[in-house]
């Protein structure tokens, strides 16, 4: 029986992790729940699973009286809950830069890090990877690569091929996207995710992040990481080997498969996945991804190749720009304009510590807000 901490328990990945644990109650118990704001949902999960500790960073309502679960409030309380939980596996599924702190702590406590938070490696790969420890990917693309490598992140390969659905605007040029609404950007053709990651999928920033993650997770040169559009989201990623063989991981689009494998590894178990119907004809289309056609993807790769603090700056400015777009303060294309302006205005330096990255994150958010206010609100 493995003890699992779920960081971001009320988000999309967190809820699906809960679903996996409900199906595998003979294998896992929940020892820690951490949520951003939803006190009621966290309390309901605490009543169901009776973890030793739980925390809500910024409760949207008063926390109820605990029934065998010690509740904490605030980020420091949430980190304390994770540290006290004695987790064997920490699923870090919260969004944003905050996830880096939980990932660092999980590795320092010796827990298996089931990583769904992109910012951990995008922003902090240079300080996370030297810690060692067990990191297993939860993102569908990185789980697919891991599976193709025989569940061994250190296996040899020639090239990694990351697939992308292309999002809802794959047939449009950048100039055609100026009038895109938040509602249109959130209408992803194959995946149901949180608002931020869905917009990042529409700009393909998300795919750029996955390239940076692959660089860190698999010690891959950027030249050995390719991206191709696979609209059906059936092939989740591929690995090419020295002899020319290419292995692909395929399944219907679902996050429960990679979540469950991150928990049960090295064992595979039934995850109630709808099987492919081989009695019906279907085809798999692959479309080359033109880097310069997707400026957010191009910017992400440029920041990843430059390294240092620039990926953290990219992430922070991108978060502020996406929030402004969702609040209808700026246009869809302005997401790139704002983010690029912040990145270009930031001198790079090597990434050495969490504190340094946190400072870079704060400066980038402030710079993005100033640009949004001055350039787009007339202030």
């Amino acid at each position: 029986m493995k003890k699992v901490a779920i960081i971001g328990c009320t988000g999309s990945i967190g809820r699906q992790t809960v679903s996996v644990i409900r199906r595998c109650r003979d294998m896992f118990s929940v020892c820690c729940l951490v949520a951003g704001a939803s006190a009621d949902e966290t309390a309901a999960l605490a009543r169901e699973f009776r973890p030793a500790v739980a925390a809500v960073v910024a409760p949207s309502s008063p926390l109820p009286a605990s029934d065998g679960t010690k509740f904490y409030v605030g980020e420091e309380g949430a980190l304390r809950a994770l540290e006290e939980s004695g987790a064997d596996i920490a699923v870090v599924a919260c969004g944003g830069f905050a996830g880096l702190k939980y990932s660092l702590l999980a590795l320092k406590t010796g827990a298996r890090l089931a990583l769904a938070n992109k910012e951990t490696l995008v922003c902090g790969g240079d300080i996370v990877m030297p810690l060692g420890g067990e990191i297993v990917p939860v993102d569908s693309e990185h789980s697919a690569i891991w599976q193709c490598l025989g569940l061994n992140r250190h296996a040899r390969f020639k090239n990694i091929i990351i697939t992308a659905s292309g999002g809802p605007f794959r047939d449009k040029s950048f100039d055609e996207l100026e009038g895109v609404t938040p509602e249109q950007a959130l209408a992803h053709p194959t995946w149901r995710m949180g608002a931020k990651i869905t917009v990042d999928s529409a700009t393909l920033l998300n795919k750029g992040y996955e390239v940076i993650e692959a660089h860190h997770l698999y010690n891959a040169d950027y030249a050995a990481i390719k991206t191709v559009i696979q609209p059906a989201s059936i092939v989740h990623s591929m690995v090419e080997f020295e002899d020319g063989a290419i292995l692909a991981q395929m399944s219907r689009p679902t996050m429960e498969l990679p979540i469950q494998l991150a928990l049960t590894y090295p064992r595979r178990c039934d995850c109630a996945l709808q099987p492919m119907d081989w009695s019906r004809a279907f085809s798999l289309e692959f479309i080359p991804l033109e880097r310069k056609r997707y400026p957010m993807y191009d910017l992400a790769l440029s920041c990843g190749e430059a390294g240092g603090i620039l990926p953290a700056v990219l992430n922070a400015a991108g978060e502020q720009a996406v929030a402004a777009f969702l609040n209808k303060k700026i246009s869809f294309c302005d997401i790139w304009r704002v983010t690029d302006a912040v990145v270009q205005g930031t001198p790079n330096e090597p990434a050495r510590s969490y504190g340094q990255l946190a400072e870079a994150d704060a400066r980038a958010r402030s710079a993005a807000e100033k640009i949004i206010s001055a350039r787009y609100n007339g202030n």
Side-chain angles (χ1 to χ4, degrees):
M1 182 72 72
K2 297 285 189 181
K3 295 187 293 182
V4 180
I6 309 175
I7 313 303
C9 63
T10 61
S12 175
I13 298 298
R15 289 177 178 137
Q16 291 175 87
T17 302
V18 168
S19 177
V20 167
I21 291 175
R22 287 190 180 114
R23 191 166 54 243
C24 303
R25 286 182 182 268
D26 60 328
M27 299 175 66
F28 305 106
S29 64
V30 176
C31 64
C32 175
L33 295 165
V34 173
S38 181
D40 292 341
E41 188 173 351
T42 306
L45 290 172
R47 288 193 295 271
E48 178 180 358
F49 291 102
R50 298 190 178 271
V53 287
V56 182
V57 175
S60 55
S61 59
L63 288 170
S66 61
D67 183 12
T69 297
K70 183 189 296 184
F71 270 90
Y72 291 102
V73 174
E75 184 180 67
E76 291 306 312
L79 291 164
R80 183 175 176 184
L82 174 58
E83 189 170 23
E84 288 181 1
S85 69
D88 299 302
I89 305 170
V91 180
V92 178
C94 56
F97 182 77
L100 175 56
K101 261 191 179 180
Y102 296 105
S103 296
L104 289 169
L105 178 59
L107 290 172
K108 287 175 181 175
T109 63
R112 173 191 297 175
L113 173 58
L115 185 59
N117 171 267
K118 291 183 181 299
E119 291 79 4
T120 290
L121 295 181
V122 170
C123 302
D126 287 344
I127 64 172
V128 170
M129 300 310 294
L131 292 176
E134 186 180 22
I135 304 175
V136 294
V138 169
D139 274 358
S140 61
E141 293 83 359
H142 289 300
S143 178
I145 295 164
W146 182 49
Q147 291 175 65
C148 291
L149 291 172
L151 305 181
N152 178 5
R153 290 195 297 106
H154 307 290
R156 291 172 60 88
F157 59 87
K158 182 178 181 182
N159 289 303
I160 287 170
I161 304 102
I162 298 175
T163 55
S165 72
F169 309 129
R170 59 177 169 256
D171 298 322
K172 296 183 180 296
S173 68
F174 181 74
D175 292 339
E176 292 178 289
L177 300 177
E178 196 70 52
V180 161
T181 66
E183 292 75 19
Q184 290 172 316
L186 292 173
H188 197 282
T190 52
W191 295 98
R192 295 293 173 263
M193 306 173 288
K196 169 62 167 57
I197 193 172
T198 303
V199 175
D200 286 348
S201 294
T203 65
L204 262 71
L205 174 62
N206 192 53
K207 206 53 53 178
Y209 282 172
E210 288 168 11
V211 172
I212 297 172
E213 289 180 281
H215 165 72
H216 290 292
L217 273 174
Y218 306 108
N219 193 28
D221 292 337
Y222 281 99
I225 308 170
K226 320 296 183 184
T227 305
V228 64
I229 294 175
Q230 206 282 298
S233 296
I234 295 295
V235 177
H236 298 295
S237 277
M238 299 173 279
V239 174
E240 180 183 5
F241 296 91
E242 289 293 338
D243 59 4
I246 298 175
L247 297 186
Q249 189 267 320
M250 300 168 57
S251 70
R252 294 188 184 277
T254 176
M255 283 305 301
E256 289 204 16
L257 189 158
I259 291 168
Q260 180 170 295
L261 184 59
L263 297 181
T264 63
Y265 157 77
R267 178 180 171 188
R268 286 185 181 268
C269 307
D270 180 17
C271 71
L273 177 66
Q274 182 183 0
M276 300 290 293
D277 185 355
W278 300 108
S279 67
R280 300 179 62 182
F282 70 95
S283 60
L284 295 174
E285 180 183 18
F286 295 93
I287 304 169
L289 190 154
E290 304 168 45
R291 175 170 170 173
K292 294 297 183 182
R293 186 181 167 194
Y294 301 96
M296 286 296 280
Y297 174 81
D298 184 59
L299 181 61
L301 264 61
S302 296
C303 289
E305 290 160 352
I309 65 169
L310 285 188
V313 170
L314 165 78
N315 173 73
E319 280 192 18
Q320 299 305 112
V322 168
F325 166 69
L326 290 172
N327 289 322
K328 301 184 177 180
K329 293 180 179 179
I330 63 174
S331 75
F332 184 81
C333 294
D334 287 335
I335 295 172
W336 169 73
R337 296 185 185 111
V338 170
T339 308
D340 183 65
V342 175
V343 168
Q344 301 307 327
T346 302
N348 198 11
E349 57 188 70
R352 296 188 179 93
S353 69
Y354 175 84
Q356 176 204 28
L357 291 172
E359 289 177 5
D361 175 270
R363 289 196 304 268
R365 290 178 192 278
S366 176
E369 286 302 315
K370 287 177 182 177
I371 292 170
I372 291 167
S373 177
R375 190 175 297 182
Y376 302 105
N377 295 338
N379 295 329

